[in-house]
Amino acid sequence: EAQSTIIFNILTLEPPPIASKWSASFREFVALCLTKDPNNRPTATQLLQHDFLADAEDFKEEFAQLVTRHRDMKAAKSRKKKN
């Protein structure tokens, strides 16, 4: 698909549904994040208070490892493209 079509679809279509294998709290959180109208979308501060993130502190180390692993993979891929 052309980039313009993809961008148009992002702006005009509803996001795809999130599979029911994910928790209701997660699905609600993502739906709130993807609210297109900024007047209806919660602020970052409000989102940080969402139930889905209530236990995030318990997973801080695991999340940091995931972010580091992703960053390292992205850097390796970028180096590979340069060679």
Side-chain angles (χ1 to χ4, degrees):
E1 276 184 85
Q3 273 187 320
S4 59
T5 301
I6 293 169
I7 292 171
F8 179 78
N9 288 342
I10 290 170
L11 294 172
T12 59
L13 300 178
E14 291 299 315
I18 299 173
S20 60
K21 70 179 182 178
W22 302 102
S23 71
S25 180
F26 174 76
R27 292 192 313 265
E28 179 186 53
F29 178 77
V30 171
L32 289 169
C33 292
L34 295 177
T35 302
K36 292 181 185 192
D37 184 347
N39 296 317
N40 294 329
R41 186 175 49 242
T43 64
T45 301
Q46 292 169 324
L47 288 168
L48 288 171
Q49 303 305 312
H50 191 276
D51 287 343
F52 175 69
L53 297 179
D55 296 326
E57 186 66 30
D58 297 342
F59 300 99
K60 192 174 186 178
E61 182 63 30
E62 289 89 345
F63 183 68
Q65 290 173 1
L66 181 64
V67 169
T68 300
R69 198 170 22 204
H70 174 73
R71 184 191 63 219
D72 293 348
M73 287 174 26
K74 192 172 181 180
K77 188 175 181 181
S78 178
R79 286 191 303 271
K80 193 174 183 179
K81 280 185 179 180
K82 290 179 182 179
N83 293 331

